[in-house]
Amino acid sequence: MNRNQLAQLAVLSTVAAHRSFRAAAKELGIAPSAVSHAVSTLEESLGVRLLARTTRSVAPTEEGILLLERLRPALDEIGVALAAVVEAKGQPSGNLRLTAPRFAADLLIAPRLGEFLSLYPDIKLEIADEDGFTDIVREGFDAGVRLEESLEADMIAVKIGPPMRGAIVASPGYFEQFPIPQHPRDLLRHRCIRRRFSNGTLYNWEFEKDGQELTIPIDGPLILGEDRQPSPLRSAARD
């Protein structure tokens, strides 16, 4: 069955219900000639007469009755499906998969989860909190939280939070042995804690001031994986 036949079957069912081409045309919102053409084309493609026509009446033939009896459950299911779509309009439901870096999941998403789930009880929310910047489309996610510099050119993005600032910290004991850095480049002479993302890349510390950006390829004796709770990064820095 081709797509045109599906439309023609719907027209046939309407004509048979009303026993009138003109009444069917009025319900379907098309011209009577279009209704007649749809039925005639269907009959020609099937090689059988489906409607008996006189100047005063229209009635299904035996073949038409057999076809309509088998067709009615399918058309009813289509009607139920369309009604369900209309009823669900404006009421989000279904599965929603998000991917977000752990800091974004903790700081931006987690505080809003209670309110979100209360407002949209029919949504099943799944959050993958990982820092590897997974390909959103390839891995089957609906959306993701990303740093601005990590956005691809073809991504549709909206801002979900204020600018975020990081801090370079160390324990008091560390600064008893090493001078406090005065410029990001001074970090090249310090024993920094490095971080490896799940995709294998090592993070280089990034800085920005007055529109000027600077990336420092830090070095140090310790490399840790993705941040978890309790954070091994913070524990190592304190020690």
Side-chain angles (χ1 to χ4, degrees), residues 35-106:
V35 172
S36 178
H37 177 73
V39 174
S40 298
T41 302
L42 179 61
E43 290 176 328
E44 183 178 344
S45 65
L46 296 178
V48 295
R49 175 72 69 175
L50 299 173
L51 294 176
R53 308 158 173 85
T54 69
T55 56
R56 295 185 178 182
S57 65
V58 176
T61 63
E62 290 186 8
E63 293 83 358
I65 292 173
L66 177 63
L67 175 61
L68 289 168
E69 287 179 348
R70 299 290 299 272
L71 179 65
R72 187 168 293 108
L75 291 178
D76 290 343
E77 283 297 317
I78 293 174
V80 169
L82 293 175
V85 170
V86 173
E87 183 180 351
K89 185 178 180 181
Q91 182 179 349
S93 62
N95 298 322
L96 177 61
R97 300 185 70 225
L98 304 180
T99 170
R102 284 193 168 84
F103 77 88
D106 291 341

Side-chain angles (χ1 to χ4, degrees), residues 124-137:
K124 293 183 179 180
L125 178 63
E126 177 184 349
I127 302 173
D129 54 339
E130 43 79 32
D131 293 331
F133 297 123
T134 299
D135 187 304
I136 295 173
V137 176

Side-chain angles (χ1 to χ4, degrees), residues 10-27:
V11 172
L12 172 69
S13 177
T14 307
V15 173
H18 288 284
R19 301 294 180 100
S20 166
F21 282 89
R22 188 171 297 278
K26 184 176 181 180
E27 178 178 327

